Amino acid sequence: MTLKKVRTAILISGRGSNMQALVEAARAPDYPAEIVLIASNRPEAPGLAWAEAQGIKTLALDHTSYATRDAFEASLQEGLDAVGTEFVALAGFMRLMTPTFVKRWHDRMINIHPSLLPSFKGLHTHARAIAAGVRISGCTVHFVRPEMDEGPIIAQAAVPVLSSDTEASLAARILEAEHTIYPTALRLVTSDRTRREGEKVIISQDVNPSPTLYSPRE
Ligand code: GRF
């Protein structure tokens, strides 16, 4: 029997290394999501060029050429609908979305953030983690809600913060963990192995997080 894959679009603004991790994971025949579109609000995003070279459908919508956020999102929605998008993964998408757009994709849009939420929401997370002297940081995949970097947590990975760390070295260590948990999280939410109770995401027993790794294992 062929697996009916969930048609997933990825939204980026820049480098796109998380997008690349998702695209590569989705090549596995048993992966429950298929990547049908890579869209960017920055036409010059390096990730867009990579996706094009892979033969994936891309959409560049320069947000600066839209008078309003609503107008930008209307175009984005059109692009998503044109390829039958069922699920959206934000991967370094640096544009705040209106509550209307977020609600339209309620429980069908996820994001990755480079901290252990709810700590260090927003920008400059690595510098702020170092300045705060935390010993452990990490990354979080969560469902998107209208408030920035908020929403039910799907997966987290913990990463040590070393006393010798710079913003760049910590970012690189966390990024490596991001590339592992994002494909895992997308797999979980597109394969009905999670359910939401209130604002908590429950993962089915067989893929429960290991207590030492703090992230779902498959
Ligand atoms: C990642 O650290 C992600 O967590 C954050 O933005 C960065 C994007 O990097 N939201 P990339 O474009 O996926 O390489």
Side-chain angles (χ1 to χ4, degrees):
M1 203 179 86
T2 18
L3 177 70
K4 164 111 181 45
K5 298 191 175 216
V6 178
R7 298 178 66 77
T8 302
I10 305 176
L11 307 192
I12 63 168
S13 296
R15 177 178 58 185
S17 69
N18 278 291
M19 167 210 65
Q20 204 168 318
L22 294 176
V23 166
E24 276 158 8
R27 288 193 174 126
D30 69 341
Y31 199 82
E34 84 175 284
I35 310 306
V36 293
L37 179 72
I38 308 294
S40 173
N41 64 314
R42 293 192 179 278
E44 74 288 359
L48 214 49
W50 182 87
E52 262 162 32
Q54 304 292 307
I56 303 169
K57 194 169 169 49
T58 60
L59 176 65
L61 297 172
D62 184 352
H63 70 269
T64 61
S65 62
Y66 290 87
T68 64
R69 219 172 264 278
D70 286 333
F72 168 75
E73 288 177 357
S75 281
L76 179 58
Q77 184 66 44
E78 215 174 277
L80 295 172
D81 289 342
V83 293
T85 304
E86 299 170 298
F87 203 91
V88 175
L90 307 182
F93 185 68
M94 304 299 284
R95 194 95 192 117
L96 276 181
M97 287 163 160
T98 64
T100 311
F101 188 88
V102 173
K103 280 181 190 141
R104 180 172 290 144
W105 290 96
H106 188 82
D107 284 353
R108 295 189 298 141
M109 180 157 67
I110 61 177
N111 179 46
I112 187 156
H113 182 75
S115 77
L116 289 176
L117 291 174
S119 291
F120 306 118
K121 294 175 181 173
L123 296 174
H124 312 297
T125 46
H126 308 108
R128 285 158 55 217
I130 291 170
V134 297
R135 267 39 176 177
I136 297 171
S137 190
C139 45
T140 304
V141 180
H142 63 98
F143 283 112
V144 177
R145 294 292 183 261
E147 303 74 30
M148 190 178 54
D149 299 327
E150 269 199 41
I153 292 170
I154 302 155
Q156 288 188 308
V159 171
V161 181
L162 308 181
S163 50
S164 57
D165 264 333
T166 60
E167 203 177 335
S169 64
L170 180 60
R173 192 175 311 116
I174 291 177
L175 193 64
E176 213 177 294
E178 292 182 44
H179 296 162
T180 302
I181 67 160
Y182 211 0
T184 301
L186 181 63
R187 178 191 278 277
L188 290 173
V189 292
T190 54
S191 62
D192 291 332
R193 285 147 97 184
T194 59
R195 64 176 200 283
R196 200 165 52 68
E197 281 180 9
E199 286 304 276
K200 269 178 88 170
V201 174
I202 314 292
I203 297 168
S204 27
Q205 197 59 42
D206 59 329
V207 284
N208 254 355
S210 131
T212 48
L213 285 160
Y214 311 105
S215 63
R217 307 296 291 169
E218 301 206 80

PDB file of all heavy atoms in Angstrom, residues 64-94:
ATOM      1  N   THR A  64       8.916  43.171   0.989  1.00  0.00           N
ATOM      2  CA  THR A  64       9.027  44.630   0.919  1.00  0.00           C
ATOM      3  C   THR A  64       8.194  45.213  -0.237  1.00  0.00           C
ATOM      4  O   THR A  64       7.957  46.415  -0.293  1.00  0.00           O
ATOM      5  CB  THR A  64      10.496  45.091   0.765  1.00  0.00           C
ATOM      6  OG1 THR A  64      11.009  44.550  -0.458  1.00  0.00           O
ATOM      7  CG2 THR A  64      11.368  44.623   1.919  1.00  0.00           C
ATOM      8  N   SER A  65       7.779  44.354  -1.157  1.00  0.00           N
ATOM      9  CA  SER A  65       6.982  44.898  -2.263  1.00  0.00           C
ATOM     10  C   SER A  65       5.473  44.822  -1.988  1.00  0.00           C
ATOM     11  O   SER A  65       4.669  45.094  -2.881  1.00  0.00           O
ATOM     12  CB  SER A  65       7.351  44.204  -3.578  1.00  0.00           C
ATOM     13  OG  SER A  65       7.059  42.839  -3.473  1.00  0.00           O
ATOM     14  N   TYR A  66       5.111  44.454  -0.759  1.00  0.00           N
ATOM     15  CA  TYR A  66       3.689  44.434  -0.383  1.00  0.00           C
ATOM     16  C   TYR A  66       3.400  45.587   0.571  1.00  0.00           C
ATOM     17  O   TYR A  66       4.185  45.834   1.491  1.00  0.00           O
ATOM     18  CB  TYR A  66       3.327  43.111   0.299  1.00  0.00           C
ATOM     19  CG  TYR A  66       3.346  41.956  -0.659  1.00  0.00           C
ATOM     20  CD1 TYR A  66       4.533  41.273  -0.908  1.00  0.00           C
ATOM     21  CD2 TYR A  66       2.196  41.554  -1.331  1.00  0.00           C
ATOM     22  CE1 TYR A  66       4.576  40.211  -1.801  1.00  0.00           C
ATOM     23  CE2 TYR A  66       2.223  40.495  -2.223  1.00  0.00           C
ATOM     24  CZ  TYR A  66       3.417  39.829  -2.457  1.00  0.00           C
ATOM     25  OH  TYR A  66       3.451  38.789  -3.347  1.00  0.00           O
ATOM     26  N   ALA A  67       2.278  46.251   0.362  1.00  0.00           N
ATOM     27  CA  ALA A  67       1.939  47.414   1.191  1.00  0.00           C
ATOM     28  C   ALA A  67       1.591  46.995   2.619  1.00  0.00           C
ATOM     29  O   ALA A  67       1.870  47.723   3.568  1.00  0.00           O
ATOM     30  CB  ALA A  67       0.776  48.165   0.558  1.00  0.00           C
ATOM     31  N   THR A  68       0.985  45.834   2.770  1.00  0.00           N
ATOM     32  CA  THR A  68       0.579  45.407   4.110  1.00  0.00           C
ATOM     33  C   THR A  68       0.953  43.948   4.340  1.00  0.00           C
ATOM     34  O   THR A  68       1.190  43.185   3.398  1.00  0.00           O
ATOM     35  CB  THR A  68      -0.960  45.514   4.280  1.00  0.00           C
ATOM     36  OG1 THR A  68      -1.573  44.595   3.355  1.00  0.00           O
ATOM     37  CG2 THR A  68      -1.469  46.915   4.030  1.00  0.00           C
ATOM     38  N   ARG A  69       0.968  43.588   5.615  1.00  0.00           N
ATOM     39  CA  ARG A  69       1.219  42.204   6.011  1.00  0.00           C
ATOM     40  C   ARG A  69       0.117  41.288   5.448  1.00  0.00           C
ATOM     41  O   ARG A  69       0.376  40.183   5.007  1.00  0.00           O
ATOM     42  CB  ARG A  69       1.217  42.136   7.553  1.00  0.00           C
ATOM     43  CG  ARG A  69       2.259  41.224   8.129  1.00  0.00           C
ATOM     44  CD  ARG A  69       2.291  41.381   9.641  1.00  0.00           C
ATOM     45  NE  ARG A  69       3.316  42.322  10.064  1.00  0.00           N
ATOM     46  CZ  ARG A  69       4.604  42.020  10.205  1.00  0.00           C
ATOM     47  NH1 ARG A  69       5.029  40.803   9.975  1.00  0.00           N
ATOM     48  NH2 ARG A  69       5.482  42.927  10.590  1.00  0.00           N
ATOM     49  N   ASP A  70      -1.119  41.803   5.479  1.00  0.00           N
ATOM     50  CA  ASP A  70      -2.255  41.026   4.964  1.00  0.00           C
ATOM     51  C   ASP A  70      -2.081  40.708   3.478  1.00  0.00           C
ATOM     52  O   ASP A  70      -2.365  39.596   3.033  1.00  0.00           O
ATOM     53  CB  ASP A  70      -3.575  41.783   5.162  1.00  0.00           C
ATOM     54  CG  ASP A  70      -4.023  41.764   6.622  1.00  0.00           C
ATOM     55  OD1 ASP A  70      -3.653  40.814   7.337  1.00  0.00           O
ATOM     56  OD2 ASP A  70      -4.730  42.706   7.037  1.00  0.00           O
ATOM     57  N   ALA A  71      -1.614  41.711   2.723  1.00  0.00           N
ATOM     58  CA  ALA A  71      -1.439  41.508   1.278  1.00  0.00           C
ATOM     59  C   ALA A  71      -0.356  40.460   1.023  1.00  0.00           C
ATOM     60  O   ALA A  71      -0.503  39.584   0.154  1.00  0.00           O
ATOM     61  CB  ALA A  71      -1.074  42.825   0.611  1.00  0.00           C
ATOM     62  N   PHE A  72       0.727  40.527   1.792  1.00  0.00           N
ATOM     63  CA  PHE A  72       1.803  39.537   1.659  1.00  0.00           C
ATOM     64  C   PHE A  72       1.269  38.137   1.958  1.00  0.00           C
ATOM     65  O   PHE A  72       1.494  37.181   1.209  1.00  0.00           O
ATOM     66  CB  PHE A  72       2.955  39.896   2.610  1.00  0.00           C
ATOM     67  CG  PHE A  72       3.973  38.799   2.772  1.00  0.00           C
ATOM     68  CD1 PHE A  72       4.893  38.521   1.757  1.00  0.00           C
ATOM     69  CD2 PHE A  72       4.014  38.028   3.930  1.00  0.00           C
ATOM     70  CE1 PHE A  72       5.815  37.485   1.897  1.00  0.00           C
ATOM     71  CE2 PHE A  72       4.929  37.000   4.083  1.00  0.00           C
ATOM     72  CZ  PHE A  72       5.837  36.729   3.056  1.00  0.00           C
ATOM     73  N   GLU A  73       0.524  38.037   3.048  1.00  0.00           N
ATOM     74  CA  GLU A  73       0.012  36.724   3.453  1.00  0.00           C
ATOM     75  C   GLU A  73      -1.037  36.177   2.477  1.00  0.00           C
ATOM     76  O   GLU A  73      -1.146  34.961   2.309  1.00  0.00           O
ATOM     77  CB  GLU A  73      -0.555  36.800   4.875  1.00  0.00           C
ATOM     78  CG  GLU A  73       0.560  36.927   5.896  1.00  0.00           C
ATOM     79  CD  GLU A  73       0.057  37.078   7.324  1.00  0.00           C
ATOM     80  OE1 GLU A  73      -1.164  37.138   7.543  1.00  0.00           O
ATOM     81  OE2 GLU A  73       0.915  37.137   8.227  1.00  0.00           O
ATOM     82  N   ALA A  74      -1.780  37.080   1.839  1.00  0.00           N
ATOM     83  CA  ALA A  74      -2.756  36.627   0.847  1.00  0.00           C
ATOM     84  C   ALA A  74      -2.024  35.942  -0.313  1.00  0.00           C
ATOM     85  O   ALA A  74      -2.432  34.880  -0.797  1.00  0.00           O
ATOM     86  CB  ALA A  74      -3.590  37.797   0.350  1.00  0.00           C
ATOM     87  N   SER A  75      -0.905  36.527  -0.749  1.00  0.00           N
ATOM     88  CA  SER A  75      -0.106  35.920  -1.826  1.00  0.00           C
ATOM     89  C   SER A  75       0.489  34.600  -1.380  1.00  0.00           C
ATOM     90  O   SER A  75       0.536  33.629  -2.139  1.00  0.00           O
ATOM     91  CB  SER A  75       1.051  36.830  -2.221  1.00  0.00           C
ATOM     92  OG  SER A  75       0.604  37.843  -3.030  1.00  0.00           O
ATOM     93  N   LEU A  76       0.961  34.599  -0.136  1.00  0.00           N
ATOM     94  CA  LEU A  76       1.564  33.376   0.395  1.00  0.00           C
ATOM     95  C   LEU A  76       0.518  32.257   0.444  1.00  0.00           C
ATOM     96  O   LEU A  76       0.762  31.130  -0.001  1.00  0.00           O
ATOM     97  CB  LEU A  76       2.131  33.665   1.794  1.00  0.00           C
ATOM     98  CG  LEU A  76       2.777  32.492   2.527  1.00  0.00           C
ATOM     99  CD1 LEU A  76       3.927  31.897   1.712  1.00  0.00           C
ATOM    100  CD2 LEU A  76       3.299  32.961   3.902  1.00  0.00           C
ATOM    101  N   GLN A  77      -0.667  32.604   0.939  1.00  0.00           N
ATOM    102  CA  GLN A  77      -1.743  31.614   1.041  1.00  0.00           C
ATOM    103  C   GLN A  77      -2.092  31.063  -0.353  1.00  0.00           C
ATOM    104  O   GLN A  77      -2.283  29.857  -0.524  1.00  0.00           O
ATOM    105  CB  GLN A  77      -2.980  32.264   1.689  1.00  0.00           C
ATOM    106  CG  GLN A  77      -4.130  31.303   1.931  1.00  0.00           C
ATOM    107  CD  GLN A  77      -3.811  30.231   2.971  1.00  0.00           C
ATOM    108  OE1 GLN A  77      -3.242  30.526   4.018  1.00  0.00           O
ATOM    109  NE2 GLN A  77      -4.137  28.984   2.676  1.00  0.00           N
ATOM    110  N   GLU A  78      -2.117  31.957  -1.317  1.00  0.00           N
ATOM    111  CA  GLU A  78      -2.410  31.542  -2.704  1.00  0.00           C
ATOM    112  C   GLU A  78      -1.366  30.535  -3.195  1.00  0.00           C
ATOM    113  O   GLU A  78      -1.699  29.514  -3.787  1.00  0.00           O
ATOM    114  CB  GLU A  78      -2.354  32.799  -3.581  1.00  0.00           C
ATOM    115  CG  GLU A  78      -3.328  32.836  -4.709  1.00  0.00           C
ATOM    116  CD  GLU A  78      -3.251  34.200  -5.389  1.00  0.00           C
ATOM    117  OE1 GLU A  78      -3.896  35.153  -4.896  1.00  0.00           O
ATOM    118  OE2 GLU A  78      -2.516  34.310  -6.383  1.00  0.00           O
ATOM    119  N   GLY A  79      -0.104  30.855  -2.894  1.00  0.00           N
ATOM    120  CA  GLY A  79       0.993  29.960  -3.305  1.00  0.00           C
ATOM    121  C   GLY A  79       0.894  28.612  -2.613  1.00  0.00           C
ATOM    122  O   GLY A  79       1.152  27.564  -3.221  1.00  0.00           O
ATOM    123  N   LEU A  80       0.510  28.626  -1.355  1.00  0.00           N
ATOM    124  CA  LEU A  80       0.375  27.372  -0.596  1.00  0.00           C
ATOM    125  C   LEU A  80      -0.782  26.554  -1.157  1.00  0.00           C
ATOM    126  O   LEU A  80      -0.670  25.344  -1.362  1.00  0.00           O
ATOM    127  CB  LEU A  80       0.147  27.671   0.892  1.00  0.00           C
ATOM    128  CG  LEU A  80       1.306  28.349   1.642  1.00  0.00           C
ATOM    129  CD1 LEU A  80       0.868  28.763   3.050  1.00  0.00           C
ATOM    130  CD2 LEU A  80       2.520  27.442   1.727  1.00  0.00           C
ATOM    131  N   ASP A  81      -1.891  27.235  -1.423  1.00  0.00           N
ATOM    132  CA  ASP A  81      -3.081  26.548  -1.944  1.00  0.00           C
ATOM    133  C   ASP A  81      -2.828  25.963  -3.338  1.00  0.00           C
ATOM    134  O   ASP A  81      -3.325  24.886  -3.662  1.00  0.00           O
ATOM    135  CB  ASP A  81      -4.280  27.512  -2.015  1.00  0.00           C
ATOM    136  CG  ASP A  81      -4.805  27.851  -0.623  1.00  0.00           C
ATOM    137  OD1 ASP A  81      -4.490  27.108   0.332  1.00  0.00           O
ATOM    138  OD2 ASP A  81      -5.520  28.869  -0.493  1.00  0.00           O
ATOM    139  N   ALA A  82      -2.046  26.693  -4.123  1.00  0.00           N
ATOM    140  CA  ALA A  82      -1.810  26.261  -5.515  1.00  0.00           C
ATOM    141  C   ALA A  82      -1.169  24.878  -5.590  1.00  0.00           C
ATOM    142  O   ALA A  82      -1.328  24.169  -6.588  1.00  0.00           O
ATOM    143  CB  ALA A  82      -0.939  27.291  -6.233  1.00  0.00           C
ATOM    144  N   VAL A  83      -0.433  24.494  -4.541  1.00  0.00           N
ATOM    145  CA  VAL A  83       0.202  23.161  -4.565  1.00  0.00           C
ATOM    146  C   VAL A  83      -0.467  22.213  -3.562  1.00  0.00           C
ATOM    147  O   VAL A  83       0.073  21.165  -3.229  1.00  0.00           O
ATOM    148  CB  VAL A  83       1.728  23.252  -4.297  1.00  0.00           C
ATOM    149  CG1 VAL A  83       2.440  23.957  -5.439  1.00  0.00           C
ATOM    150  CG2 VAL A  83       2.023  23.948  -2.969  1.00  0.00           C
ATOM    151  N   GLY A  84      -1.640  22.614  -3.081  1.00  0.00           N
ATOM    152  CA  GLY A  84      -2.384  21.733  -2.175  1.00  0.00           C
ATOM    153  C   GLY A  84      -1.695  21.507  -0.836  1.00  0.00           C
ATOM    154  O   GLY A  84      -1.712  20.389  -0.300  1.00  0.00           O
ATOM    155  N   THR A  85      -1.120  22.555  -0.271  1.00  0.00           N
ATOM    156  CA  THR A  85      -0.403  22.426   1.007  1.00  0.00           C
ATOM    157  C   THR A  85      -1.352  22.044   2.141  1.00  0.00           C
ATOM    158  O   THR A  85      -2.414  22.647   2.302  1.00  0.00           O
ATOM    159  CB  THR A  85       0.290  23.769   1.353  1.00  0.00           C
ATOM    160  OG1 THR A  85       1.140  24.119   0.268  1.00  0.00           O
ATOM    161  CG2 THR A  85       1.107  23.658   2.645  1.00  0.00           C
ATOM    162  N   GLU A  86      -0.925  21.047   2.914  1.00  0.00           N
ATOM    163  CA  GLU A  86      -1.721  20.608   4.069  1.00  0.00           C
ATOM    164  C   GLU A  86      -1.032  20.951   5.387  1.00  0.00           C
ATOM    165  O   GLU A  86      -1.661  20.954   6.447  1.00  0.00           O
ATOM    166  CB  GLU A  86      -1.907  19.082   4.022  1.00  0.00           C
ATOM    167  CG  GLU A  86      -2.631  18.608   2.783  1.00  0.00           C
ATOM    168  CD  GLU A  86      -2.579  17.099   2.645  1.00  0.00           C
ATOM    169  OE1 GLU A  86      -1.468  16.544   2.518  1.00  0.00           O
ATOM    170  OE2 GLU A  86      -3.655  16.479   2.673  1.00  0.00           O
ATOM    171  N   PHE A  87       0.280  21.197   5.325  1.00  0.00           N
ATOM    172  CA  PHE A  87       1.052  21.403   6.552  1.00  0.00           C
ATOM    173  C   PHE A  87       2.193  22.370   6.230  1.00  0.00           C
ATOM    174  O   PHE A  87       2.718  22.359   5.117  1.00  0.00           O
ATOM    175  CB  PHE A  87       1.616  20.050   7.028  1.00  0.00           C
ATOM    176  CG  PHE A  87       1.929  20.017   8.490  1.00  0.00           C
ATOM    177  CD1 PHE A  87       0.971  19.599   9.406  1.00  0.00           C
ATOM    178  CD2 PHE A  87       3.175  20.422   8.959  1.00  0.00           C
ATOM    179  CE1 PHE A  87       1.250  19.584  10.771  1.00  0.00           C
ATOM    180  CE2 PHE A  87       3.461  20.425  10.319  1.00  0.00           C
ATOM    181  CZ  PHE A  87       2.493  19.992  11.223  1.00  0.00           C
ATOM    182  N   VAL A  88       2.560  23.212   7.211  1.00  0.00           N
ATOM    183  CA  VAL A  88       3.617  24.210   6.988  1.00  0.00           C
ATOM    184  C   VAL A  88       4.691  24.073   8.064  1.00  0.00           C
ATOM    185  O   VAL A  88       4.382  23.959   9.250  1.00  0.00           O
ATOM    186  CB  VAL A  88       3.027  25.648   7.026  1.00  0.00           C
ATOM    187  CG1 VAL A  88       4.131  26.697   6.926  1.00  0.00           C
ATOM    188  CG2 VAL A  88       2.016  25.849   5.892  1.00  0.00           C
ATOM    189  N   ALA A  89       5.954  24.085   7.625  1.00  0.00           N
ATOM    190  CA  ALA A  89       7.072  24.085   8.580  1.00  0.00           C
ATOM    191  C   ALA A  89       7.872  25.367   8.378  1.00  0.00           C
ATOM    192  O   ALA A  89       8.348  25.641   7.266  1.00  0.00           O
ATOM    193  CB  ALA A  89       7.960  22.860   8.352  1.00  0.00           C
ATOM    194  N   LEU A  90       7.982  26.164   9.436  1.00  0.00           N
ATOM    195  CA  LEU A  90       8.795  27.381   9.361  1.00  0.00           C
ATOM    196  C   LEU A  90      10.231  26.996   9.711  1.00  0.00           C
ATOM    197  O   LEU A  90      10.475  26.334  10.721  1.00  0.00           O
ATOM    198  CB  LEU A  90       8.297  28.427  10.370  1.00  0.00           C
ATOM    199  CG  LEU A  90       6.805  28.790  10.318  1.00  0.00           C
ATOM    200  CD1 LEU A  90       6.492  29.883  11.348  1.00  0.00           C
ATOM    201  CD2 LEU A  90       6.409  29.251   8.921  1.00  0.00           C
ATOM    202  N   ALA A  91      11.163  27.415   8.863  1.00  0.00           N
ATOM    203  CA  ALA A  91      12.565  27.052   9.106  1.00  0.00           C
ATOM    204  C   ALA A  91      13.428  28.296   8.906  1.00  0.00           C
ATOM    205  O   ALA A  91      13.906  28.562   7.808  1.00  0.00           O
ATOM    206  CB  ALA A  91      12.981  25.930   8.163  1.00  0.00           C
ATOM    207  N   GLY A  92      13.553  29.072   9.985  1.00  0.00           N
ATOM    208  CA  GLY A  92      14.296  30.315   9.883  1.00  0.00           C
ATOM    209  C   GLY A  92      13.510  31.345   9.093  1.00  0.00           C
ATOM    210  O   GLY A  92      14.087  32.152   8.359  1.00  0.00           O
ATOM    211  N   PHE A  93      12.197  31.322   9.234  1.00  0.00           N
ATOM    212  CA  PHE A  93      11.334  32.298   8.549  1.00  0.00           C
ATOM    213  C   PHE A  93      11.215  33.514   9.466  1.00  0.00           C
ATOM    214  O   PHE A  93      10.638  33.432  10.547  1.00  0.00           O
ATOM    215  CB  PHE A  93       9.967  31.682   8.266  1.00  0.00           C
ATOM    216  CG  PHE A  93       9.052  32.565   7.470  1.00  0.00           C
ATOM    217  CD1 PHE A  93       9.330  32.850   6.144  1.00  0.00           C
ATOM    218  CD2 PHE A  93       7.906  33.099   8.048  1.00  0.00           C
ATOM    219  CE1 PHE A  93       8.480  33.662   5.392  1.00  0.00           C
ATOM    220  CE2 PHE A  93       7.054  33.915   7.313  1.00  0.00           C
ATOM    221  CZ  PHE A  93       7.348  34.196   5.977  1.00  0.00           C
ATOM    222  N   MET A  94      11.802  34.638   9.032  1.00  0.00           N
ATOM    223  CA  MET A  94      11.970  35.788   9.914  1.00  0.00           C
ATOM    224  C   MET A  94      10.900  36.845   9.707  1.00  0.00           C
ATOM    225  O   MET A  94      11.196  38.034   9.572  1.00  0.00           O
ATOM    226  CB  MET A  94      13.364  36.412   9.692  1.00  0.00           C
ATOM    227  CG  MET A  94      14.499  35.449   9.878  1.00  0.00           C
ATOM    228  SD  MET A  94      14.567  34.776  11.556  1.00  0.00           S
ATOM    229  CE  MET A  94      15.260  36.177  12.413  1.00  0.00           C
TER     230      MET A  94
END
